[in-house]
Amino acid sequence: MELRHLSAFVAVAEELHFGRAAKRLQMAQPPLSQQIRRLEKELGVQLFERNTRSVRLTGAGESFLQPVRTVLADLDTAVRAARAAGRGEHGRVTIGFAGASSHETLPLLTRAVRAAHPAIELAMKGQTYANVALDRVADGSLDLGFVRLPVTRPGVAHRVIAEEELVCALPSDHPLARLGSVPVAVLAEEPFVAFPANTGSTVRDAMVGACEAAGFNPRVVQEAPDSYTILALVAAGVGVTLTVTSVQHIQQNGLVYRPLSGPPVRLRAALAWRPDNPSAALRAVLAAAEEALPTPAGPAGEGTAAPHD
């Protein structure tokens, strides 16, 4: 049984017309009819009932169709994997990400890579804060990192993929929850929940920077390693926090988000990598990322840069 006979069968089964099927396969109709007859002879069953006016599948043909489609689809996947390997687009790419803030962007990238390059293994390193990811990309222990601007490490390139803003997360029964927006200055006496200090969290850095710009240092009473835990503590009434818009998918009883008053405090998310990394798999992932995570238009996209010298 030849694959071309299976492809011919699927074409006729889908078109239910030998002329259209032949045109789709870019071949003449008589050879197509011969291939179907050979396939039927080899199987020992009739796949089509045909006369001068119509073509339709027999019961055997209907039973045969889906398994043949599966075989051809699996073959296509195998061919693409072999070709990818032949181009060097196979191997392992390590990716560092922070967790909740990559809730939308990370799945878009991984799905795109697995669809286009099934031979590439993605090794995901969670709870890798942005500055830590940047350090590990710079020292070569990560191939690709989800980071935030600024990117200042020598030899590291980056591309902006999203823009976020700081928002205030509050217990739902907090008096400030009644406001449409929250001035940062009114949080001066509030207890804060935050990422640990000196762990490379750009969200904590942005929170501290916003508070200092409003004239105070935040009083952090509880630290937690991820946004899910931080926001659970906020919902429990432990304190308030400043976080990013990308984590607002985290919804739970006792928790509300409010925008900040005044000019928005923006953070730009980016992918970072070393251009001198010889991995063909990394180049394939970066190409897939161009499609899955395009750079935003306008000011949000500013900041795409070549490596620093």
Side-chain angles (χ1 to χ4, degrees), residues 18 33 36-37 40 46-56:
F18 276 82
S33 298
I36 296 299
R37 283 195 294 271
E40 288 176 325
Q46 186 177 347
L47 298 172
F48 297 99
E49 291 182 2
R50 50 244 198 216
N51 55 45
T52 56
R53 288 190 289 182
S54 67
V55 176
R56 69 182 185 90

Side-chain angles (χ1 to χ4, degrees), residues 147-238:
V147 302
R148 290 190 177 91
L149 270 55
V151 173
T152 58
R153 304 302 189 278
V156 176
H158 70 278
R159 183 175 63 80
V160 175
I161 58 172
E163 184 176 75
E164 306 174 84
E165 293 183 8
L166 278 187
V167 295
C168 185
L170 301 155
S172 58
D173 59 357
H174 195 288
L176 294 175
R178 295 194 296 266
L179 300 179
S181 62
V182 176
V184 177
V186 304
L187 301 173
E189 302 303 320
E190 296 292 333
F192 277 76
V193 184
F195 288 99
N198 305 315
T199 55
S201 168
T202 54
V203 174
R204 175 162 178 146
D205 292 345
M207 181 192 78
V208 172
C211 293
E212 289 178 343
F216 69 97
N217 289 315
R219 179 169 59 92
V220 177
V221 298
Q222 181 74 51
E223 295 180 334
D226 58 74
S227 293
Y228 295 101
T229 306
I230 289 172
L231 294 170
L233 291 168
V234 171
V238 174

Side-chain angles (χ1 to χ4, degrees), residues 78-108:
V79 168
R80 289 190 292 113
R83 287 174 177 168
R87 294 191 297 267
E89 295 172 2
H90 69 290
R92 192 169 185 261
V93 175
T94 56
I95 301 176
F97 64 100
S101 60
S102 301
H103 168 77
E104 294 183 358
T105 53
L106 183 64
L108 290 173

